[in-house]
Amino acid sequence: MSRKQVEGAEKALVHLREALDQVNLALDRLEDLEEDYQVLRDYYISPDFSKDRDLAREGLAYGDMACGVLTEDGISDLIGDRYQLALRLLDLVRQVLETY
């Protein structure tokens, strides 16, 4: 192996190690937040969500607090983004297993 190849391989090793460490930390965080996701999803599909959203829209409640959760797009987008992430992770898993 030439010096250039060793340098290139070393650079790849360092970059991949850093990326794997960062991904593992991010996955740890997502796993830690799974209960929060369940709470959010359960609220979103409950009758309480619709009631709270309607009260906020009519200006009858929650005007003194942040309530982005009452915008359907916020929760819906999060659920969709989570699903897309799962699909992306499945693709990555397939690639990793095929090249192991």
Side-chain angles (χ1 to χ4, degrees), residues 31-44:
E31 288 172 349
D32 290 345
L33 293 170
E34 186 60 24
E35 188 174 315
D36 286 352
Y37 172 77
Q38 297 301 328
V39 168
L40 185 62
R41 191 204 63 202
D42 290 349
Y43 175 61
Y44 182 62

Side-chain angles (χ1 to χ4, degrees), residues 15-28:
H15 288 163
L16 287 166
R17 174 80 280 151
E18 289 172 355
L20 284 174
D21 291 346
Q22 290 172 354
V23 168
N24 276 310
L25 288 173
L27 289 175
D28 289 346

Side-chain angles (χ1 to χ4, degrees), residues 44 49 53 67-76:
Y44 182 62
F49 172 79
R53 183 196 59 217
C67 51
V69 71
L70 297 178
T71 65
E72 284 188 67
D73 289 346
I75 298 175
S76 177

Side-chain angles (χ1 to χ4, degrees), residues 90-100:
L90 284 173
D91 284 342
L92 180 60
V93 165
R94 180 188 51 76
Q95 289 174 13
V96 168
L97 292 176
E98 286 177 357
T99 60
Y100 182 71

Side-chain angles (χ1 to χ4, degrees), residues 72-84:
E72 284 188 67
D73 289 346
I75 298 175
S76 177
D77 289 350
L78 181 98
I79 291 170
D81 291 346
R82 184 175 180 267
Y83 181 78
Q84 290 302 315

